[in-house]
Amino acid sequence: MKLQTKTSLAAVAGTVLLLAATTASFLFAMGRHYLTELNRYHAVIIREWSVQCDKALARKDPAELDRSLEWMMRDAFFQRIELLGPDGNVLRSRVRSGDRSESLPGETGGRARGAGEIRSPVALPKGGVGTLAASYRPDLSEMVWQMLRGSIAGPLLAIQAFIVVLVLALSFLVRRIVIRPVKELASAFSRVGEGKLDTRVEVRSSDELGMLQRDFNKMTLKLGEVERLKEEFLAKITHDLRSPLSAISGYIEIVQSGWKGPVTEGQKECLDVATSSVAYLAELINNILDVTKLEAGRMEFERGRLELAPLIEAVVRLLRVKAQEYKVRLSFEPAGEPPEVEADEEALRRVLINFVSNALKFTPEGGSVVVRTRREDGRAVVSVSDTGIGIPADKLDRMFTKFSQIRGKIQAPRAVHGTGLGLVVCKEVVEAHGGKVWVESEEGKGSTFSFSLPVASAEVSAPTPSPAEPPAAA
């Protein structure tokens, strides 16, 4: 929004500057043109005035000559009008003093031609040839500019104001008709990219943009149907696979127990492989089903006030046997009293087991895995740090996506099997509780997987006191 406002203001400012520059150039050109035409006009007029002077001189009437010169001085552009003799001496002259013209006595001697002066020959009584010279006022340019500003600048400013208003109106219309719908459409595409397939945009027109909006709504509707069918398929297939998988697992246990007959060492090895495969398949099915439920918002949580310390200690005790098998040190180091949270205990236990199990799998012998807790900005933060192989930088942003697994250049310390869905389930569980997950890692030095949850409210409802029992009868 701020960027659009700045862009609009910049466009208006640019338009105003362009109009101002255009107006100045136009006025300058008009001024020069006006001065040129004024000079041509006065060249014609001065020739006509010289004819009037010829007649007055021919009748030897000084009064008529003075009246002619006075009449010439009515032209407001002239400062001085002079009648010069053959040798350039001044015979008669009129000069403007303020707003009035005054007669000057005749001058003798030569006279140089002044700047801004127009001349025309005049026949003198004794056969000589004189000169009628008209000199422009020194402030002629200023007069012209004032005239142009009064007659042209006003309308130009009005036109400029109209253009600025028109630009603003067009900018508003373009923003409303084009930019805003395009931004809404771009935002809708982003939401669809985040998995919000119920996103729709309002169709405001029947033009190409409106057609694009309608096609977008059709696309999201179709994607929603495909997603719904996929979820239904996954939910059904995973649910239907559980029953035969349970039967397979049960019969393998029966055979392993020897109830159906003795089992040789070779057969036992085969049954162990089958048991491991069944467990892997069961984990895959459970994760797929859980991810489907979580993404669809159908996973139900039984939330309650939960102390983190006992839960983390229980998970550490549960996985310490696996840590000893891997020869990895596993510990819990709380920073102060671990805060309480509002969460589903079993769901949170699953997140902790997943984080700690992954850390143990990728930590070589002699390494360590540490679970830490802290309070930060009203949130409880739990982190699981290891000294394992780390995660390549180009894979960090994909750790919480479906079926993502590490396939780096560093060799894992032991054979690792996984579905690539465990971290996705953890992310969905934590976010469903109003928290977030993240990972920090340096390849070859270790990783830290963390999640945060809102701290439980400090207000604890006091237990309702039971009514006092009446005293026993004597």
Side-chain angles (χ1 to χ4, degrees), residues 367-382:
S368 63
V369 174
V370 182
V371 184
R372 296 184 176 91
T373 58
R374 68 180 186 275
R375 185 190 297 264
E376 186 177 286
D377 298 330
R379 302 179 75 84
V381 180
V382 179

Side-chain angles (χ1 to χ4, degrees), residues 257-316:
S257 66
W259 187 64
K260 291 292 185 179
V263 180
T264 65
E265 289 298 324
Q267 292 171 336
K268 185 176 180 181
E269 290 178 4
C270 294
L271 291 172
D272 289 340
V273 172
T275 301
S276 176
S277 299
V278 168
Y280 174 75
L281 186 56
E283 180 187 1
L284 177 61
I285 292 172
N286 289 334
N287 284 337
I288 292 175
L289 185 60
D290 289 343
V291 168
T292 303
K293 287 183 178 180
L294 286 165
E295 289 183 343
R298 294 198 299 266
M299 180 72 80
E300 296 181 358
F301 297 104
E302 296 182 3
R303 306 191 186 193
R305 198 177 188 88
L306 178 64
E307 294 183 7
L308 284 176
L311 177 62
I312 295 175
E313 289 170 353
V315 171
V316 169

Side-chain angles (χ1 to χ4, degrees), residues 42-343:
H42 281 132
V44 175
I45 294 299
I46 201 70
R47 285 195 292 271
E48 295 180 359
W49 289 348
S50 65
V51 173
Q52 299 297 325
C53 291
D54 286 342
K55 294 179 181 179
L57 289 170
R59 287 193 288 268
K60 299 180 180 181
D61 189 348
E64 182 180 354
L65 183 59
D66 288 338
R67 285 194 299 273
S68 297
L69 294 178
E70 183 68 29
W71 182 76
M72 296 175 193
M73 284 300 296
R74 293 179 181 178
D75 193 318
F77 291 104
F78 289 120
Q79 177 69 21
R80 178 193 294 265
I81 295 180
E82 299 170 319
L83 180 61
L84 306 177
D87 55 356
N89 60 312
V90 180
L91 303 178
R92 279 283 191 282
S93 68
R94 304 291 291 183
V95 64
R96 188 178 303 281
S97 177
D99 292 332
R100 298 180 301 105
S101 64
E102 298 179 354
S103 299
L104 292 180
E107 300 176 7
T108 58
R111 180 181 181 279
R113 180 171 180 173
E117 187 176 81
I118 302 176
R119 295 188 172 201
S120 181
V122 177
L124 298 177
K126 296 181 179 180
V129 178
T131 303
L132 181 64
S135 301
Y136 284 119
R137 294 175 56 161
D139 59 347
L140 176 63
S141 297
E142 184 179 349
M143 291 177 62
V144 171
W145 288 118
Q146 287 180 351
M147 183 187 65
L148 289 175
R149 284 196 295 268
S151 60
I152 298 177
L156 279 179
L157 289 175
I159 293 173
Q160 285 183 2
F162 173 76
I163 293 176
V164 170
V165 172
L166 183 62
V167 169
L168 285 173
L170 289 176
S171 175
F172 175 77
L173 288 176
V174 169
R175 180 178 172 184
R176 183 179 180 84
I177 298 174
V178 178
I179 296 179
R180 190 169 71 177
V182 169
K183 282 196 66 177
E184 291 176 353
L185 199 57
S187 177
F189 271 110
S190 298
R191 292 196 297 274
V192 170
E194 294 171 358
K196 300 175 182 178
L197 301 180
D198 57 343
T199 302
R200 301 290 184 273
V201 294
E202 181 181 355
V203 180
R204 296 190 177 92
S205 62
S206 57
D207 55 9
E208 290 80 357
L209 189 58
M211 293 172 60
L212 184 61
Q213 291 168 336
R214 283 191 293 272
D215 290 342
F216 173 83
N217 289 337
K218 292 178 182 178
M219 178 195 70
T220 54
L221 182 62
K222 181 62 69 176
L223 287 175
E225 292 177 357
V226 172
E227 184 69 13
R228 179 181 56 80
L229 291 174
K230 183 199 74 174
E231 291 174 356
E232 291 178 354
F233 170 77
L234 288 175
K236 180 174 177 58
I237 196 67
T238 52
H239 183 271
D240 291 346
L241 284 174
R242 280 182 169 180
S243 297
L245 197 61
S246 299
I248 294 171
S249 177
Y251 277 108
I252 289 176
E253 290 180 2
I254 291 174
V255 174
Q256 283 179 322
S257 66
W259 187 64
K260 291 292 185 179
V263 180
T264 65
E265 289 298 324
Q267 292 171 336
K268 185 176 180 181
E269 290 178 4
C270 294
L271 291 172
D272 289 340
V273 172
T275 301
S276 176
S277 299
V278 168
Y280 174 75
L281 186 56
E283 180 187 1
L284 177 61
I285 292 172
N286 289 334
N287 284 337
I288 292 175
L289 185 60
D290 289 343
V291 168
T292 303
K293 287 183 178 180
L294 286 165
E295 289 183 343
R298 294 198 299 266
M299 180 72 80
E300 296 181 358
F301 297 104
E302 296 182 3
R303 306 191 186 193
R305 198 177 188 88
L306 178 64
E307 294 183 7
L308 284 176
L311 177 62
I312 295 175
E313 289 170 353
V315 171
V316 169
R317 284 196 302 270
L318 175 67
L319 296 177
R320 186 158 282 142
V321 175
K322 183 63 68 174
Q324 292 172 354
E325 178 186 340
Y326 293 159
K327 298 181 181 179
V328 175
R329 186 174 66 87
L330 175 61
S331 61
F332 172 39
E333 299 177 2
E337 184 66 24
E340 295 182 344
V341 295
E342 293 281 348

Side-chain angles (χ1 to χ4, degrees), residues 18-62:
L18 179 61
L19 290 174
T22 304
T23 301
S25 301
F26 177 74
L27 289 176
F28 180 75
M30 284 294 296
R32 294 187 62 179
H33 176 73
Y34 188 86
L35 288 174
T36 302
E37 293 301 318
L38 186 66
N39 194 61
R40 292 178 181 174
Y41 167 76
H42 281 132
V44 175
I45 294 299
I46 201 70
R47 285 195 292 271
E48 295 180 359
W49 289 348
S50 65
V51 173
Q52 299 297 325
C53 291
D54 286 342
K55 294 179 181 179
L57 289 170
R59 287 193 288 268
K60 299 180 180 181
D61 189 348

Side-chain angles (χ1 to χ4, degrees), residues 351-409:
V351 173
L352 286 167
I353 291 175
N354 193 295
F355 277 12
V356 176
S357 298
N358 282 344
L360 291 172
K361 290 177 184 177
F362 293 99
T363 301
E365 293 183 4
S368 63
V369 174
V370 182
V371 184
R372 296 184 176 91
T373 58
R374 68 180 186 275
R375 185 190 297 264
E376 186 177 286
D377 298 330
R379 302 179 75 84
V381 180
V382 179
S383 61
V384 180
S385 302
D386 63 62
T387 58
I389 63 174
I391 303 170
D394 60 339
K395 296 183 181 296
L396 278 175
D397 58 345
R398 302 200 301 269
M399 290 309 299
F400 295 98
T401 57
K402 296 176 183 177
F403 307 108
S404 176
Q405 293 181 335
I406 300 176
R407 293 290 186 269
K409 294 177 289 185

